[in-house]
Amino acid sequence: MARRPRICPAGYAQHIVQRGNNRCACFVSEDDYVAYAHWLAQGAKKYDIAIHAWVMMTNHTHLLVTPGDDNTVSLMMQYLGRHYVRRFNSIYNRTGTLWEGRYKSSLVDSHRYALACYRYIENNPVKANMVASPGEYRWSSYHANARGVDSAMLTAHPCYEQLAKSKQARRRVYSQLFDNPDAGSLDTEIRWGVTKNLAAGSEKFKAEIQTLTGVAQALRPRGPKKNLG
């Protein structure tokens, strides 16, 4: 089956997931997380990509980004991969790929879904039973978005800016999103979108993306199985 084409229009938020090959660890030491963050920031700057949220898990990463130009997210990920994998292989005396094939991605509707994607990403360590609350996990953007910790790597998405007028109020409202008992259905849509490389959002948003890119945003049902006799 042919792979779905990757779509990356400028100005649209995009959820990215990249996993370690065979789900093996892609971060072993604290220095690995620091190095990945460094090259991610450099790649984002080089290709004019705003980073809104991120988390580095032991064997995979999540990002929420918005490219300033068409088709530049893949360039950023290639740049990040070249530098980080070279360093990782050198330090741990290994060769070959670190990542499990191509990264997965999904365009995200700015209305409602973008903030849900923020929460989905930063709540990943809680879902994995690594911590009881997102603030207990060090390697995520939660500390910047909910607590105001300085991060030169992050740029607020407009939906985050619209939470409240002041920075303090925005952080307070944002932290309350993690208490939302109705997150389940949106989390499922966000997970499905990035797994299948489909837009996550309203039907209107999906139709907009399909018109813009010419790429269908609904999976075609599989045909009947052939009788092979």
Side-chain angles (χ1 to χ4, degrees):
M1 180 182 295
R3 294 187 299 190
R4 286 178 57 79
R6 200 187 295 287
I7 55 177
C8 181
Y12 285 83
Q14 188 169 151
H15 179 199
I16 298 168
V17 178
Q18 189 165 42
R19 297 189 180 279
N21 193 32
N22 293 322
R23 297 186 179 271
C24 291
C26 44
F27 303 103
V28 177
S29 71
E30 181 173 309
D31 287 345
D32 294 338
Y33 293 97
V34 173
Y36 184 93
H38 168 76
W39 291 117
L40 174 59
Q42 291 295 310
K45 182 178 180 180
K46 180 178 178 68
Y47 294 107
D48 187 26
I49 294 172
I51 300 174
H52 311 302
W54 55 269
V55 67
M56 302 173 201
M57 304 291 283
T58 306
N59 63 3
H60 68 282
T61 65
H62 288 261
L63 306 171
L64 180 63
V65 306
T66 299
D69 295 300
D70 292 344
N71 304 316
T72 52
V73 169
S74 60
L75 297 177
M76 180 188 75
M77 297 303 289
Q78 290 168 16
Y79 176 90
L80 172 60
R82 282 196 304 271
H83 288 86
Y84 182 73
V85 175
R86 184 186 302 131
R87 173 196 173 277
F88 191 91
N89 284 354
S90 176
I91 289 177
Y92 298 108
N93 193 28
R94 66 185 300 278
T95 59
T97 183
L98 177 62
W99 307 114
E100 186 179 68
R102 301 200 312 169
Y103 66 87
K104 296 183 180 296
S105 62
S106 170
L107 297 182
V108 179
D109 193 343
S110 292
H111 179 68
R112 189 182 181 205
Y113 284 80
L115 281 174
C117 194
Y118 265 83
R119 181 186 57 216
Y120 179 89
I121 289 171
E122 294 174 356
N123 209 39
N124 226 245
V126 178
K127 292 289 188 181
N129 294 315
M130 298 173 70
V131 293
S133 64
E136 296 176 22
Y137 190 75
R138 179 177 179 183
W139 304 106
S140 88
S141 53
Y142 180 85
H143 303 281
N145 289 321
R147 295 177 170 174
V149 175
D150 287 340
S151 174
M153 185 164 66
L154 285 191
T155 300
H157 187 278
C159 70
Y160 178 91
E161 295 279 9
Q162 292 166 7
L163 286 174
K165 292 183 178 180
S166 71
K167 292 181 179 179
Q168 184 176 5
R170 280 196 293 271
R171 293 194 292 267
R172 182 174 63 253
V173 174
Y174 180 77
S175 64
Q176 292 171 351
L177 295 176
F178 291 79
D179 300 325
N180 183 359
D182 299 322
S185 61
L186 286 181
D187 282 358
T188 299
E189 291 184 58
I190 290 167
R191 186 183 306 110
W192 171 261
V194 78
T195 299
K196 300 299 183 181
N197 193 27
L198 296 168
S202 66
E203 292 305 313
K204 179 180 178 181
F205 176 75
K206 293 175 184 178
E208 176 185 337
I209 296 302
Q210 184 165 324
T211 299
L212 178 67
T213 65
V215 178
Q217 292 304 301
L219 291 178
R220 294 179 180 177
R222 293 181 179 180
K225 293 183 179 179
K226 295 181 180 179
N227 186 350
L228 300 180

